[in-house]
Amino acid sequence: MTKNGMGASVRRKEDYRFITGSGQYTDDINRPNQVYAYIVRSPVAHAHIRDLDISAAVATPGVVAVLTGADMAADEVGSLPCGWGINNKDGSPMFEPGHPPLAADTVHHVGDQIAVVIATSRAIAKDAAELVEVDYDELPVVAGLEAASADGAALVWPDAPGNVCFDWEIGDKAATDAAFEQATRVASIDVVNNRLIANAMEPRSAIGEYDSGKDEYTLYTTSQNPHVIRLLMGAFVLGIPEHKLRVIAPDVGGGFGSKIFHYAEEAIMTWASRKLKRPVKWTAERSESFISDAHGRDHISHAELAMDDDGMFLGLRVSTRANLGAYLSTFGPSVPTYLHATLLAGTYKTPAIYAEVKGMFTNTVPVDAYRGAGRPEASYLLERLVDRAAKVAGLDPIEIRRRNFIKPEDFPYQTPVALEYDTGDYEAAVEKALELSDYDNFESRKNASAERGKLRGIGISTYIEACGIAPSNVAGALGARAGLYEAGTVRVNPTGSVTVLTGSHSHGQGHETTFAQLVTEALGVDFDAVEIVHGDTGKVPFGMGTYGSRSAAVGGVALVNALEKIRTKAKKIAAHLLEASADDVEFKDGQLTVVGTDRSVGFGDVAMSAYVPHNYPLDELEPGLEETAFYDPKNFTFPAGCHICEVEIDPDTGVVQVVRFTAADDFGRVINPMIVEGQVHGGLTQGIGQALYENCVYDESGQLLSGSLMDYCLPKADNVPDFAVTTNVTPCTHNVLGVKGCGEAGAIGAPPAVINAVVNALAEFGIDDMPIPATPERVWQAIQAAK
Amino acid sequence: MEIKGEYQIAAMRGVVWQALNDPDVLKACIPGCEEFERAGENSFRAKIKATIGPVRANFNTILSLEDLNPPESYRLVGESKAAAGFGRGIANISLVETEDGTLLRYDADFKVGGKLAQVGSRLVVGATKKTADDFFSAFCTSLDPAAYRVDEEPEAATKSAVPKTWLAVAAAAIVLLIWWFLLG
Amino acid sequence: MQTKVSCTLNGEDVSADVDSRTLLVDMIREQLSLTGTHVGCDTSQCGACVVHVNGRSVKSCSMLALQAEGAEIITIEGVDSNGDLHPMQAAFREHHGLQCGFCTPGMIMSALDLVQQNPDPDDKEIREWLEGNLCRCTGYQNIVQAVKAGAKSMRAGGKEAE
């Protein structure tokens, strides 16, 4: 292993600027002559705009402009596009409503954009926004899945009967029905997967800037994928060709999915900057984030598992309703379908699976990917159901899982729901987790808790996720409207330092470090001589960005492929310099050596020779040393693992505390263990947040009640324990790095482990279900009801 | 959200009824009321600047009186709007003659929307109760310095240092009060 | 109406013209152009804006700029000495106590105040102290390790807490 190469816990390059306060987040950037935007948003969930009076706002000193949907329509600004189409069971396409960046005549959720007030200061813009008078003709509201699916429910969109966006299915219905006919035991469960709000600590922000001399636009934005924003906004919304539009996502303060999507504000600022010929900046206040960032999860599902007498799974039937919100966010429809139902096989060899998913409109903020995106919903449903199946079959929760696992010899394994798992060893992960969690001594810990008046419970989950999204042809066949490859460029500078341009974006994941490790590993150059550039369409050739734990598995592999091209060319140059055949040149630790001799040349000399080609094979090779690779993965990657949670419950208050948490994860090969552990810690904490603390609540009129950090409970430092984490490596078989991805695992495996532990702790009361999140009130009520 | 209250006022019912319909009396009892005018036979328009600590909001309020049954009862329907959100509600007000004068009873059902709901709906009830209490005590004492509240409470809601976000909510609650006195 | 506020910021005398309603954090970020102090919420929950005012940690979104008249303010930019990292900063890097980095300045400023009051905090004390600082990335474990290590390094003769 190279000192700072693959597998080393190298300290992060990016940290210096963050710990000294010199990071550059979007709101830290100010452009000359900049003005400030404040967005007027709807306070009602559904209404026609009868009248919009901006005159008082326009007349306010310091106000530069007040722009509305009518101005956008006049400029023929397009609708915010949806990037994934889903077909109904009958093959017809889903219903796609228009989504103007500023509402034209109807608002569809609290927070919907109505107008933008632009002024010389933030305070003036905000004050003037209060003077915009909107007269609403209110319409009936459906604020949740139950209301939207009720008989005679009001319609969010008149052309979407029953509020159904799509009614989709996957799997073999007949085979699954047949499995249930054979079954001697059936377990079933109804679960709600709670609606969540990502709440990255940095609120979204955007600065639009227009250069009238060159007719060029620049958008600074808090995005996980600037190239995708350039594509969507340029091509579909504003009609700006790529070469005239530069999108920069500078330091971004966390994303967790919520910064994947193309948001209205990005288009509004870019458009307004041209109208005003001045840079226009907008930064969300947190309470604005709550009603304008896409939300996550929000499913209601019924599931049934057919078994034989031995507890072997025969068939799984799942019916899910998924809340999509009022409009379709960029990837909204893909989340409850191809990112959810395709994962319902989990780690088990269930021969027949059938799932149907109804995507539904409601008068709420659009719902899209949030850390895990569909996979946490699948994992939660399945792992709660398997725990229940264990009870039905009279088996230990671990034993029933062991019996039904896909075994190492079964790979590659084709599931009944489209995916082909390449590799894994689920039993081994369970063994590691059991050992690390000291599972065998749980009873003594339970007794010790009981002596202190506490109820102790233990819960297990195993999970699988499909990451490294995705083979473009597969994704395209499933409805994706974009490719999903990644690009990487390696530019070896004349003095031997290396600049990498990657389409993956880092907003906490540490790519500037891990990608530099890959360069050090491949070229032997000093770690400090490597610079990773990302987040700027003006510098990076192309990229699809960071989500779905794809950076290492797709962006990292693209980089490694570009590095391989550099190595090949370097060998040719060295062969010339050393008067040998390229086949005889070995490239190791930064030295290029003729095998079996002491003749060698350093990589730095090769680089210099490429740029000062005085002694150079110019008739065979171009000068320079820069290579680009595009990598389109052959398959998804399939990280998997086993999580074990122990909780203590205070029966007098219902407060649940996670006291121990163990994770044994298989992420394939690991580039930087320190960073991977950090990703797991963060994912687990968000998973525990979903299980115990976080819940997005609307009232029946579509008002968001959990609309601030006072009411939406993010996990705090004393809400979570120290985690015990380990890895169990089965390298991915279809990428050269053998990596699978680690960013979402914690958020996928943790919620079912926590709730299974809570239910286990309450078993003595005969309780076998607990809604998520298991808040103190719910737990206390359940205990009282059982008493 | 529902709130209710009762006040004993040492004044004749007819006098109380008249005061409840006197824009000048009402305006004087509403904190921050800048304009209060009749918009129709049974409706009023008011502008209230609610300022509490660092939070200031201008509420435009429209009130209408329904089911008028002078001098015994009526229903007040109101809506207040500001950039911070909106409140709307219905208040039933009745005046009962007693030995000592008049018993004023109100029960109101209201809801809030926009930022008010988002940031503090669960706090609005407490804050509104306090503001309602403040208004009615001002109103009642303007007729009878010895007027007093008949039904118990109010406890917790009134005291303590109020965080800044609560203040916005309290400001909104003031607006809601308007409905009640508009009754007059 | 604008009023002039004068104070010291990271040891330098500074002044700014502010509205009576301007928050301290906005004066620091907008008028005085130090953007290491962040704004993560509008209800004083997140702690991304923690600075030191007269030696104590303060959420600079919960204080008016006018209240800083005559005060000594230290922000994250004033913690290191001539480019040498403060031991607490170094500990955050060494223990991977940050990911996206947005909450980090507030975390470090808050941790420094903790160590000033309690030079040898245990895990529980650190977790309770940091209740007012939200981090969405790290799950806190490495932050706790970093604060412990930073405190140890400071006890061993590292730079005093600001």
Side-chain angles (χ1 to χ4, degrees):
Chain A
M1 183 174 84
T2 314
K3 178 170 154 260
N4 289 322
M6 184 90 182
S9 285
V10 185
R11 298 311 186 254
R12 300 200 318 169
K13 274 176 178 292
E14 43 272 86
D15 284 356
Y16 184 84
R17 66 180 189 271
F18 296 139
I19 56 184
T20 56
S22 45
Q24 276 263 298
Y25 300 89
T26 303
D27 190 56
D28 298 341
I29 295 168
N30 290 300
R31 305 296 302 160
N33 206 27
Q34 169 181 294
V35 284
Y36 298 83
Y38 191 86
I39 307 233
V40 178
R41 297 181 184 279
S42 174
V44 296
H46 196 192
H48 286 305
I49 299 171
R50 203 185 286 137
D51 187 42
L52 178 58
D53 180 0
I54 60 172
S55 55
V58 171
T60 304
V63 168
V64 177
V66 180
L67 303 171
T68 67
D71 298 310
M72 278 208 147
D75 285 357
E76 297 183 353
V77 171
S79 176
L80 298 171
C82 177
W84 201 300
I86 295 295
N87 287 339
N88 293 305
K89 288 172 179 168
D90 65 8
S92 61
M94 67 182 186
F95 175 75
E96 278 186 77
H99 189 182
L102 289 172
D105 54 10
T106 307
V107 289
H108 290 92
H109 64 85
V110 170
D112 213 347
Q113 306 81 218
I114 292 170
V116 57
V117 178
I118 301 170
T120 51
S121 82
R122 240 182 261 246
I124 293 172
K126 192 172 175 180
D127 283 350
E130 294 199 11
L131 302 176
V132 173
E133 294 264 351
V134 190
D135 187 11
Y136 299 99
D137 181 10
E138 292 194 41
L139 299 167
V141 171
V142 287
L145 282 169
E146 295 294 6
S149 10
D151 283 344
L155 295 182
V156 179
W157 297 99
D159 297 331
N163 292 308
V164 175
C165 171
F166 56 78
D167 185 4
W168 172 90
E169 65 183 346
I170 192 169
D172 188 334
K173 188 170 192 299
T176 307
D177 289 345
F180 274 85
E181 277 167 28
Q182 284 174 20
T184 54
R185 298 159 193 264
V186 172
S188 69
I189 196 164
D190 289 287
V191 295
V192 172
N193 202 282
N194 46 330
R195 185 176 178 115
L196 302 177
I197 303 175
N199 273 308
M201 292 319 300
E202 179 206 22
R204 285 191 300 114
S205 178
I207 307 170
E209 185 167 7
Y210 177 67
D211 179 338
S212 55
K214 295 180 179 169
D215 187 31
E216 283 177 2
Y217 299 81
T218 303
L219 169 68
Y220 300 84
T221 182
T222 48
S223 176
Q224 302 177 211
N225 31 233
H227 287 87
V228 174
I229 303 306
R230 184 182 66 169
L231 177 73
L232 295 176
M233 185 176 83
F236 296 99
V237 187
L238 298 180
I240 306 169
E242 276 111 325
H243 66 292
K244 293 293 186 187
L245 173 59
R246 178 178 177 188
V247 178
I248 299 172
D251 286 330
V252 173
F256 316 113
S258 68
K259 292 172 181 168
I260 296 171
F261 325 119
H262 175 37
Y263 285 100
E265 296 85 358
E266 294 168 324
I268 295 169
M269 299 311 132
T270 307
W271 167 72
S273 73
R274 174 169 183 161
K275 285 188 99 65
L276 303 178
K277 306 281 192 291
R278 292 179 80 167
V280 186
K281 178 178 186 174
W282 166 82
T283 299
E285 298 176 324
R286 176 62 59 187
S287 51
E288 206 177 353
S289 308
F290 272 98
I291 53 170
S292 65
D293 291 6
H295 294 177
R297 316 278 194 261
D298 203 347
H299 288 190
I300 297 178
S301 297
H302 175 75
E304 298 170 307
L305 185 59
M307 293 177 283
D308 67 12
D309 285 335
D310 298 325
M312 300 302 291
F313 302 163
L314 303 175
L316 172 67
R317 204 152 49 191
V318 177
S319 172
T320 293
R321 281 174 290 161
N323 192 341
L324 301 171
Y327 302 99
L328 296 180
S329 177
T330 311
F331 293 111
S334 69
V335 175
T337 51
Y338 290 107
L339 294 175
H340 168 247
T342 54
L343 273 300
L344 287 169
T347 50
Y348 310 110
K349 227 155 70 172
T350 312
I353 299 177
Y354 174 73
E356 51 190 354
V357 179
K358 255 187 203 170
M360 309 210 51
F361 293 111
T362 60
N363 293 111
T364 63
V365 172
V367 179
D368 206 323
Y370 162 62
R371 201 170 196 166
R375 292 151 289 172
E377 295 91 315
S379 178
Y380 181 71
L381 180 156
L382 192 60
E383 292 300 300
R384 288 285 300 120
L385 180 59
V386 168
D387 252 34
R388 198 165 269 194
K391 286 201 183 84
V392 170
L395 291 170
D396 177 84
I398 292 168
E399 176 57 24
I400 197 169
R401 286 177 168 86
R402 279 189 174 129
R403 286 189 189 182
N404 286 284
F405 277 152
I406 301 158
K407 305 289 188 293
E409 62 271 21
D410 295 328
F411 294 103
Y413 176 77
Q414 176 65 53
T415 75
V417 276
L419 300 176
E420 185 187 272
Y421 301 167
D422 63 333
T423 180
D425 188 344
Y426 311 136
E427 174 97 36
V430 169
E431 290 306 325
K432 278 201 163 183
L434 290 176
E435 190 188 333
L436 190 59
S437 67
D438 191 24
Y439 189 86
D440 290 343
N441 290 313
F442 170 70
E443 281 306 317
S444 68
R445 294 193 294 275
K446 185 178 172 73
N447 293 337
S449 295
E451 280 171 24
R452 288 182 287 109
K454 300 284 178 69
L455 307 166
R456 197 176 185 108
I458 193 162
I460 184 171
S461 76
T462 63
Y463 71 89
I464 189 157
E465 49 172 332
C467 293
I469 181 170
S472 293
N473 52 356
V474 174
L478 302 180
R481 292 165 176 170
L484 286 158
Y485 48 84
E486 198 47 81
T489 295
V490 178
R491 178 179 298 154
V492 181
N493 299 309
T495 58
S497 67
V498 177
T499 303
V500 169
L501 312 171
T502 174
S504 296
H505 187 275
S506 182
H507 34 279
Q509 296 88 344
H511 298 161
E512 291 167 40
T513 301
T514 48
F515 284 10
Q517 288 179 255
L518 297 178
V519 174
T520 299
E521 179 84 19
L523 304 181
V525 298
D526 192 67
F527 181 69
D528 294 327
V530 183
E531 178 79 9
I532 308 297
V533 175
H534 63 91
D536 184 347
T537 64
K539 293 179 179 171
V540 177
F542 206 77
M544 297 308 295
T546 293
Y547 39 85
S549 307
R550 70 193 297 272
S551 288
V554 192
V557 174
L559 170 57
V560 166
N561 289 352
L563 286 165
E564 193 51 39
K565 292 184 188 179
I566 294 282
R567 285 172 59 90
T568 301
K569 185 168 179 182
K571 281 185 194 171
K572 288 181 185 166
I573 298 169
H576 176 86
L577 295 174
L578 298 169
E579 297 176 341
S581 156
D583 293 340
D584 295 336
V585 174
E586 184 187 56
F587 189 167
K588 201 177 166 194
D589 299 334
Q591 284 294 121
L592 294 101
T593 307
V594 181
V595 177
T597 75
D598 58 359
R599 282 187 295 144
S600 87
V601 58
F603 179 65
D605 294 329
V606 169
M608 181 58 79
S609 152
Y611 286 96
V612 187
H614 296 165
N615 176 16
Y616 193 86
L618 283 167
D619 46 350
E620 293 166 37
L621 282 181
E622 294 172 11
L625 197 51
E626 174 169 329
E627 297 287 353
T628 294
F630 282 67
Y631 172 69
D632 202 289
K634 295 185 186 67
N635 190 357
F636 295 88
T637 61
F638 296 97
C642 175
H643 292 179
I644 295 177
C645 175
E646 266 180 65
V647 298
E648 241 184 22
I649 298 175
D650 182 337
D652 296 330
T653 62
V655 169
V656 179
Q657 184 77 28
V658 175
V659 288
R660 291 166 74 98
F661 201 105
T662 306
D665 298 299
D666 179 358
F667 301 133
R669 289 178 70 205
V670 169
I671 300 171
N672 184 321
M674 174 192 81
I675 285 176
V676 166
E677 276 200 18
Q679 288 288 313
V680 175
H681 293 170
L684 292 174
T685 300
Q686 289 186 11
I688 291 171
Q690 167 161 29
L692 297 180
Y693 302 109
E694 300 178 35
N695 201 20
C696 175
V697 180
Y698 278 95
D699 74 7
E700 73 288 348
S701 64
Q703 296 293 335
L704 179 63
L705 300 183
S706 55
S708 78
L709 292 175
M710 294 183 295
D711 296 278
Y712 187 90
C713 182
L714 294 185
K716 300 177 179 66
D718 58 356
N719 293 142
V720 286
D722 272 351
F723 302 105
V725 304
T726 186
T727 54
N728 168 63
V729 176
T730 66
C732 173
T733 59
H734 57 78
N735 68 49
V736 293
L737 278 171
V739 297
K740 297 182 179 177
C742 66
E744 298 162 292
I748 295 170
V754 174
I755 298 296
N756 283 343
V758 170
V759 170
N760 176 260
L762 299 176
E764 64 188 74
F765 295 100
I767 291 169
D768 77 340
D769 200 9
M770 176 57 59
I772 184 171
T775 58
E777 189 202 356
R778 285 173 171 176
V779 172
W780 187 84
Q781 294 285 8
I783 292 171
Q784 300 313 308
K787 277 178 177 171
Chain B
M1 283 173 273
E2 293 178 43
I3 57 172
K4 50 173 94 172
E6 281 183 16
Y7 281 83
Q8 180 63 45
I9 308 167
M12 299 292 288
R13 182 162 71 171
V15 174
V16 178
W17 180 267
Q18 210 166 11
L20 277 172
N21 283 280
D22 181 343
D24 292 336
V25 173
L26 296 175
K27 184 178 175 187
C29 297
I30 302 170
C33 184
E34 294 185 333
E35 287 173 33
F36 194 90
E37 58 184 24
R38 206 171 273 280
E41 189 188 346
N42 289 316
S43 61
F44 298 91
R45 194 179 296 123
K47 279 196 175 166
I48 298 180
K49 179 177 280 183
T51 306
I52 304 178
V55 176
R56 182 179 59 193
N58 295 298
F59 287 93
N60 289 317
T61 300
I62 291 178
L63 290 151
S64 55
L65 311 184
E66 296 175 359
D67 298 342
L68 285 161
N69 181 23
E72 284 175 19
S73 65
Y74 63 93
R75 177 198 304 270
L76 177 65
V77 179
E79 175 159 3
S80 265
K81 283 202 295 193
F86 63 85
R88 63 174 65 121
I90 293 171
N92 291 305
I93 295 177
S94 67
L95 303 177
V96 179
E97 283 186 319
T98 63
E99 282 181 15
D100 304 327
T102 306
L103 183 69
L104 182 154
R105 274 198 192 119
Y106 68 90
D107 65 86
D109 188 7
F110 66 95
K111 62 175 304 168
V112 293
K115 202 173 236 185
L116 290 173
Q118 193 190 340
V119 179
S121 56
R122 66 179 170 161
L123 310 174
V124 165
V125 174
T128 305
K129 274 185 178 156
K130 170 176 163 37
T131 337
D133 197 36
D134 288 350
F135 166 73
F136 280 108
S137 47
F139 174 76
C140 297
T141 50
S142 75
L143 294 171
D144 162 25
Y148 61 95
R149 180 152 190 176
V150 180
D151 53 340
E152 75 321 309
E153 25 126 30
E155 351 97 89
T158 62
K159 44 177 170 209
S160 86
V162 183
K164 104 181 175 191
T165 42
W166 294 44
L167 296 176
V169 171
I174 287 184
V175 174
L176 298 171
L177 289 179
I178 295 175
W179 308 331
W180 305 320
F181 51 68
L182 287 176
L183 296 180
Chain C
M1 195 191 72
Q2 301 236 303
T3 309
K4 185 171 182 172
V5 175
S6 299
C7 56
T8 69
L9 180 60
N10 301 328
E12 282 181 37
D13 292 333
V14 295
S15 63
D17 293 322
V18 301
D19 286 342
S20 55
R21 61 180 170 175
T22 301
L23 300 175
L24 177 58
V25 66
D26 292 327
M27 178 178 83
I28 292 170
R29 286 180 56 82
E30 308 284 334
Q31 268 106 333
L32 303 173
S33 299
L34 289 187
T35 56
T37 303
H38 298 148
V39 179
C41 75
D42 48 6
T43 51
S44 299
Q45 251 79 42
C46 80
C49 66
V50 171
V51 300
H52 290 187
V53 176
N54 297 327
R56 293 301 307 270
S57 58
V58 166
K59 287 181 175 173
S60 60
C61 73
S62 62
M63 186 171 155
L64 295 168
L66 290 175
Q67 292 174 287
E69 174 66 31
E72 267 183 51
I73 298 168
I74 304 287
T75 68
I76 188 68
E77 290 93 341
V79 167
D80 61 344
S81 51
N82 301 320
D84 287 339
L85 291 179
H86 186 284
M88 187 61 78
Q89 291 174 308
F92 267 70
R93 178 164 68 181
E94 181 59 25
H95 293 271
H96 191 30
L98 64 149
Q99 290 181 25
C100 81
F102 194 80
C103 74
T104 311
M107 283 285 178
I108 290 175
M109 299 311 288
S110 193
L112 287 174
D113 194 15
L114 166 64
V115 177
Q116 187 171 258
Q117 297 179 47
N118 177 359
D120 188 11
D122 64 21
D123 283 22
K124 188 163 182 288
E125 289 167 331
I126 295 169
R127 285 183 183 274
E128 282 174 2
W129 178 270
L130 292 178
E131 259 236 329
N133 289 80
L134 295 174
C135 170
R136 196 57 161 155
C137 296
T138 64
Y140 302 104
Q141 184 165 338
N142 289 345
I143 291 177
V144 174
Q145 296 311 313
V147 174
K148 238 176 13 180
K152 185 177 177 192
S153 164
M154 286 163 68
R155 289 197 305 279
K159 196 179 159 195
E160 291 298 309
E162 294 295 330

